[in-house]
Amino acid sequence: MNNAASGGEPTDPNGHLPDVQRAVEILLAAHHCAALTGAGISAESGVPTFRGKDGLWTKQGEPPPNQYRLFQDDPAAWWRRLQARREDPDELATALAEAVPNDAHFALAELERLGVLKHTITQNVDGLHRLAGSARLTEIHGNRALLRCTRCNDRRPFDEIPEALPPHCERCHGLLKPDTVMFGEPIPRDTLVAAMAEAGRADCMLLIGTTALVSPAADLAWEAYSRGAPLIEINLDPTVISDRCAVAIHGKAGEILPRIVDRLKRRLPAAP
Ligand code: OAD
């Protein structure tokens, strides 16, 4: 059944249409829209979230806060433990290894290609935004497929555990670690500067699948809000920032985002 008022779209069983339309208007009015994404955007790719009903930490408890200290104290032992875990992967490692981008990742990449989305800042280490085609991207918590030098921040592919443990940077001989930011580890300066610059110039911010609880990523959203940039939230559940959002749509990112992009495309001039 079609609804004439919705432009021939199927009827809107969850009642999101006015919010989707409002999100489209905000995106069309923006000059520098940024997105901040969290674990929820990859949930439909089978990657477990951290918090919430089915969250990894809800089931297993939060990991200890001193992971980075453990790494610094004895990097060789830390690397050997990682080697053992790779041979016997846990639920998260298995899910990450098998995950492919979902419709929400592809919709964001398309929004970037359309010139509407200028940058994506993700807290996810799964690399799914890259795989979906997002090019203007800051992975604020790192990327699981990369190694990073703790001294010069040079990054290189992380396919296998290096032979000599702990591994060192070929450029500066600094210690190498996985690019993924550990508990207790500061965000690498180059990444933080890039994320802050992008968020600082955003005149609209999409918040997708994030609790907006973890700093400094969440601060980027609050900072944009405090400058008057309208926030568009897409999340399964209300969050601490929902009340401040110009539009808060509560549903699956993989369903809502493609609808926003679809309606937005109808308003853009057709490509020559
Ligand atoms: P969380 O796991 O805390 O929250 C996931 C959010 O996604 C929740 O608000 C869910 O309601 C929402 N969600 C779940 N499924 C969804 C779906 N299909 N569509 C839309 N929303 C959905 O994840 P983050 O807020 O991203 O950092 O967590 C931030 C950081 O906490 C992580 O990057 C991690 C952790 O500390 C590090 O490990 C460094």
Side-chain angles (χ1 to χ4, degrees):
M1 186 172 48
N2 281 341
N3 178 351
S6 65
E9 262 190 350
T11 45
D12 184 33
N14 301 319
H16 291 314
L17 193 55
D19 290 334
V20 166
Q21 193 54 42
R22 173 113 178 85
V24 169
E25 302 301 338
I26 293 170
L27 289 168
L28 286 170
H31 297 288
H32 197 100
C33 180
L36 175 67
T37 72
I41 197 168
S42 295
E44 291 159 74
S45 294
V47 181
T49 60
F50 298 99
R51 303 171 184 82
K53 188 167 62 68
D54 298 318
L56 209 58
W57 296 346
T58 312
K59 292 193 270 178
Q60 299 177 0
E62 276 199 31
N66 58 347
Q67 284 179 16
Y68 190 51
R69 171 55 61 84
L70 294 176
F71 172 78
Q72 286 176 310
D73 284 351
D74 191 344
W78 188 92
W79 271 101
R80 282 195 296 274
R81 283 196 297 276
L82 180 64
Q83 191 166 29
R85 283 207 306 278
R86 283 215 156 184
E87 282 158 17
D88 183 17
D90 61 10
E91 181 190 340
L92 179 60
T94 306
L96 283 167
E98 292 171 357
V100 292
N102 65 52
D103 289 346
H105 298 105
F106 288 121
L108 271 194
E110 186 165 13
L111 215 46
E112 182 185 310
R113 273 196 302 277
L114 291 168
V116 174
L117 178 64
K118 296 294 192 287
H119 200 85
T120 298
I121 301 163
T122 186
Q123 297 162 86
N124 302 341
V125 302
D126 53 33
L128 296 183
H129 285 298
R130 284 186 194 213
L131 281 176
S134 289
R136 301 170 77 162
L137 180 68
T138 300
E139 293 163 313
I140 194 166
H141 291 165
N143 182 314
R144 61 183 287 275
L146 297 175
L147 283 178
R148 167 169 42 86
C149 174
T150 53
R151 187 181 294 164
C152 72
N153 281 342
D154 184 47
R155 290 162 177 89
R156 67 198 63 194
F158 179 19
D159 304 319
E160 290 177 2
I161 301 275
E163 274 189 19
L165 297 181
H168 285 89
C169 177
E170 288 158 16
R171 281 189 179 181
C172 75
H173 305 294
L175 198 56
L176 290 180
K177 70 175 286 296
D179 188 35
T180 304
V181 173
M182 296 173 178
F183 274 89
E185 177 185 2
I187 306 288
R189 192 166 164 71
D190 57 345
T191 310
L192 189 58
V193 166
M196 286 171 66
E198 291 299 335
R201 70 175 73 120
D203 61 355
C204 160
M205 193 176 277
L206 282 159
L207 306 176
I208 307 163
T210 178
T211 46
L213 284 175
V214 176
S215 288
D219 304 338
L220 303 173
W222 287 103
E223 197 272 331
Y225 169 74
S226 70
R227 283 188 295 98
L231 307 179
I232 301 169
E233 179 178 70
I234 301 167
N235 196 305
L236 218 44
D237 303 305
T239 70
V240 290
I241 207 165
S242 299
D243 288 350
R244 315 294 174 99
C245 291
V247 189
I249 309 179
H250 296 130
K252 290 185 175 180
E255 292 172 6
I256 305 288
L257 261 175
R259 292 177 63 193
I260 290 178
V261 174
D262 185 51
R263 291 187 80 82
L264 184 138
K265 276 163 63 179
R266 299 188 213 169
R267 298 280 302 279
L268 293 175

